[in-house]
């Protein structure tokens, strides 16, 4: 299908000065022209962009989609470990249908808030792949590893063939990574296996790193080095082969390793704040030439999957932490949620900016709301004032996923009924387990 978005305020996110009133022409899922003047393009569908900002689709570079099941659930606890202790027994009860419905609900929330690509890791990723394929959204699915080598080899044997199939058959929507959960939940052998899979399959390692002070202290106790130094010594932190979530507590040596190995850091300000983990000093990382992407983490620790919230919070916390409102500009914050996310996920040649030849992953933001009046500086408007409810239209690979705020690939009313029934069923399973 040939689509044209006309008369929009186009914000390609290539350079700060590059924004213009004009049109975007789309053919076979790709951007074929960006025009300031009237384009010579015969379209099957014309979208009037005259009240919209056109922006690259946002990229959520770290989440656990299925954890929407645990949204607002037992989340007022003392620390990360107490919260994990509340969640893990329920996770043991999950079945494939739970993961599928939860993934689809999470994807619905992401589409409605302008996300066109996300990086995920959790259990039964085949179900999350099914949900992404149904919704027609992009995802990097992490084959998730916990525990020892025996457990990891079993998971890889079960899941890798499925994920490979999705990568081949989904026309670029679905890719896979290998995702050892963290240094405190995986044995050294499991981490080595993850490295081998990344090398052999040419995929990336996606891992939680230095999320809490406790994690760093335990790493020193067990390995006599920081999590970053430990992973580096294992050969996991290799350029283009890894991206790390959180990185709240890095020392100077860690920062040098990450900078020299060009490892992207995924900042999750809501989750880190909510769980009391601390504030990652991202302006300092940026000054150290580290690329920073943005993630929501799972809805259990956020409690939503809204990157507009995340951008605003990242900007606010950075100002508060550095006492310097200029430490990160709104344009740089927006880069974190677009092109930097694409780089982390190895997708920057296909998305993250609006450029001819890239996929048409585009969102249209309604600028008519009170809180966007007057618009003035576009980047300030997008980072500080825009709400996810201003997202009107979402395209991924030229496919319309949302139009006039109406979902096109998902029946939300039906999904909500099924999802809530499943959640009740999970809680019932827990009660039954308790009587055994
Ligand atoms: Zn996480």
């Amino acid at each position: 299908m040939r689509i044209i978005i006309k008369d929009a305020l186009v914000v390609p996110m290539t350079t700060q000065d590059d924004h213009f009133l004009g049109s975007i022409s789309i053919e076979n899922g790709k951007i074929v022209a960006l025009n300031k003047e009237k384009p010579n393009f015969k379209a099957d569908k014309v979208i009037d962009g005259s009240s919209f900002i056109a922006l690259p689709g946002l990229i959520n570079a770290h989440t656990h989609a299925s954890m929407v099941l645990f949204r607002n659930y037992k989340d007022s606890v003392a620390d990360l470990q107490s919260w994990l202790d509340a969640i893990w027994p329920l996770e043991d009860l999950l079945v494939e249908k739970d993961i599928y419905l939860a993934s689809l609900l999470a994807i619905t929330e992401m589409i409605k808030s302008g996300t066109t690509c996300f990086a995920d890791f959790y259990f039964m990723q085949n179900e999350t792949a099914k949900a992404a394929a149904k919704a027609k959204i992009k995802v990097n699915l992490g084959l998730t590893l916990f525990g020892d080598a025996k457990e990891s080899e079993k998971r890889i044997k079960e899941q890798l063939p499925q994920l490979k199939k999705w990568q081949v058959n989904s026309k670029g929507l679905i890719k896979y990574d290998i995702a050892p959960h963290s240094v405190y939940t995986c044995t050294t052998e499991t981490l080595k296996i993850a490295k081998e899979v990344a090398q052999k399959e040419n995929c990336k390692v996606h891992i939680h790193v230095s999320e809490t002070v406790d994690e760093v202290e335990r790493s020193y106790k067990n390995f006599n080095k920081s999590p970053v130094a430990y992973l580096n010594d294992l050969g996991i932190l290799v350029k283009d082969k890894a991206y790390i979530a959180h990185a709240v507590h890095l020392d100077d040596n860690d920062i040098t390793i990450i900078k020299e190995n060009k490892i992207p850091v995924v900042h999750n300000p809501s989750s880190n704040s909510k769980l009391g983990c601390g504030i990652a000093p991202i302006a300092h990382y940026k000054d150290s030439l580290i690329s920073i992407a943005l993630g929501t983490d799972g809805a259990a620790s956020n409690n939503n999957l809204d990157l507009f919230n995340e951008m605003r919070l990242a900007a606010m916390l950075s100002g508060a932490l550095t006492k310097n409102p200029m430490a990160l500009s709104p344009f740089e914050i927006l880069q974190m949620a677009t092109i930097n996310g694409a780089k982390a996920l190895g997708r920057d040649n296909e998305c993250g900016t609006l450029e001819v030849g890239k996929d048409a992953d585009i969102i249209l933001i309604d600028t008519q709301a009170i809180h966007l009046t007057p618009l003035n500086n576009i980047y300030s408007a997008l980072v500080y004032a825009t709400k996810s409810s201003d997202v009107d239209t979402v395209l991924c690979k030229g496919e319309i996923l949302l139009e006039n705020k109406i979902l096109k690939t998902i029946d939300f009313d039906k999904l909500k009924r099924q999802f809530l029934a499943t959640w009740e069923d999970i809680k019932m399973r827990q009660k039954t387990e308790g009587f055994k």
Side-chain angles (χ1 to χ4, degrees):
M1 181 147 84
R2 291 158 66 92
I3 302 173
I4 189 163
I5 301 167
K6 274 178 143 173
D7 305 320
L9 177 51
V10 182
V11 180
M13 290 307 296
T14 43
T15 64
Q16 189 155 344
D17 297 329
D18 187 15
H19 49 80
F20 58 91
L21 268 175
S23 65
I24 308 171
S25 305
I26 299 159
E27 189 170 2
N28 295 329
K30 292 203 177 288
I31 297 171
V32 292
L34 293 158
N35 294 90
K36 288 175 191 161
E37 290 84 35
K38 215 169 180 303
N40 182 20
F41 184 75
K42 215 170 172 315
D44 306 310
K45 182 176 174 70
V46 178
I47 297 174
D48 175 10
S50 57
S51 60
F52 297 136
I53 291 172
L55 192 69
L58 304 183
I59 296 175
N60 186 349
H62 177 74
T63 190
H64 314 283
S66 310
M67 292 188 86
V68 292
L69 284 164
F70 310 121
R71 195 198 305 269
N72 315 323
Y73 179 75
K74 293 193 176 174
D75 60 347
S76 281
V77 288
D79 53 26
L80 177 67
Q81 195 55 52
S82 316
W83 175 73
L84 291 172
D85 290 342
I87 299 289
W88 279 342
L90 276 177
E91 287 186 326
D92 289 341
L93 303 172
L94 300 181
V95 296
E96 288 179 347
K97 189 183 83 171
D98 307 328
I99 301 290
Y100 173 75
L101 291 171
S103 297
L104 200 53
L105 190 97
I107 287 167
T108 308
E109 186 180 356
M110 286 193 265
I111 292 171
K112 288 276 278 178
S113 52
T115 294
T116 53
C117 181
F118 66 104
D120 191 87
F121 69 78
Y122 206 60
F123 311 108
M124 298 178 243
Q125 290 290 52
N126 194 45
E127 300 303 311
T128 307
K130 273 189 211 166
K134 172 167 173 44
K136 300 187 177 174
I137 193 173
K138 290 181 178 176
V139 60
N140 278 36
L141 284 172
L143 198 173
T144 306
L145 306 181
F146 275 95
D148 62 15
K150 198 174 158 212
E151 176 66 21
S152 299
E153 273 157 8
K154 186 169 159 259
R155 283 169 191 261
I156 289 166
K157 205 172 160 205
E158 277 169 13
Q159 294 183 37
L160 189 56
Q162 294 172 336
L163 292 173
K164 276 184 170 181
K165 257 192 212 166
W166 283 109
Q167 184 157 299
V168 170
N169 297 329
S170 66
K171 295 181 182 153
L173 283 181
I174 299 170
K175 290 171 73 169
Y176 66 85
D177 297 321
I178 186 89
H181 175 270
S182 60
V183 301
Y184 60 95
T185 51
C186 296
T187 63
T188 305
E189 286 67 36
T190 285
L191 293 168
K192 283 181 182 166
I193 289 169
K195 181 185 88 169
E196 282 162 22
V197 170
Q199 282 174 343
K200 190 162 164 254
E201 305 297 336
N202 195 26
C203 64
K204 289 173 187 265
V205 176
H206 179 186
I207 182 169
H208 297 115
V209 178
S210 299
E211 183 175 0
T212 61
V213 170
D214 180 58
E215 175 188 336
V216 176
E217 285 175 354
R218 274 203 261 174
S219 176
Y220 272 99
K221 206 172 138 207
N222 294 333
F223 314 114
N224 204 24
K225 54 188 101 164
S226 72
V228 167
Y230 171 56
L231 290 169
N232 191 44
D233 288 352
L234 289 174
I236 286 178
L237 299 182
V238 177
K239 181 176 177 277
D240 296 329
K241 284 270 169 276
Y243 54 109
I244 61 172
H246 301 303
V248 179
H249 303 283
L250 303 186
D251 62 22
D252 288 347
N253 185 47
D254 294 338
I255 291 172
T256 303
I257 290 170
I258 285 175
K259 178 194 164 187
E260 286 182 354
N261 297 4
K262 295 192 166 29
I263 304 298
V265 163
V266 185
H267 183 41
N268 298 266
S270 291
S271 173
N272 297 153
S273 302
K274 181 164 182 270
L275 295 173
C277 299
I279 305 170
I282 53 168
H284 177 50
Y285 297 167
K286 183 207 78 175
D287 292 342
S288 308
L289 306 176
I290 292 170
S291 180
I292 305 148
L294 200 60
T296 59
D297 213 350
S301 62
N302 186 304
N303 295 356
N304 61 56
L305 306 175
D306 178 344
L307 280 174
F308 282 98
N309 264 348
E310 222 60 34
M311 284 194 282
R312 182 178 151 91
L313 183 62
M316 295 290 186
L317 288 178
S318 178
L321 189 67
T322 59
K323 300 184 180 65
N324 173 11
M326 307 287 281
L328 279 167
S329 70
F331 179 75
E332 287 169 326
I333 296 280
L334 205 51
Q335 280 184 311
M336 289 164 53
T338 53
I339 185 63
N340 291 4
K343 283 179 186 164
L345 273 56
R347 290 181 179 266
D348 49 314
N349 56 2
E350 62 172 88
C351 59
T353 53
L354 303 181
E355 292 181 78
V356 170
K358 284 198 176 184
D359 288 348
D361 298 356
I362 303 166
I363 60 175
L364 299 181
I365 293 150
D366 188 353
T367 58
Q368 303 307 301
I370 301 167
H371 51 265
L372 294 176
T373 308
L375 198 62
N376 287 331
N377 182 300
I378 306 163
Y379 302 110
S380 292
L382 287 166
V383 168
Y384 290 112
T386 300
K387 298 175 191 295
S388 56
S389 53
D390 301 323
V391 174
D392 180 276
T393 297
V394 173
L395 290 89
C396 184
K397 272 182 95 85
E399 188 85 35
I400 299 173
L401 311 187
L402 186 80
E403 190 175 23
N404 302 326
K405 303 190 179 177
I406 296 168
L407 292 156
K408 293 291 173 181
T409 54
I410 297 164
D411 177 347
F412 176 62
D413 291 338
K414 184 178 158 200
L415 171 64
K416 189 177 173 186
R417 278 197 304 277
Q418 292 174 320
F419 173 80
L420 290 175
T422 275
W423 174 233
E424 289 308 314
D425 190 52
I426 294 166
K427 286 188 286 184
M428 195 59 77
R429 275 176 244 161
Q430 191 185 28
K431 275 188 195 158
T432 316
E433 282 286 309
F435 288 116
K436 275 185 188 170

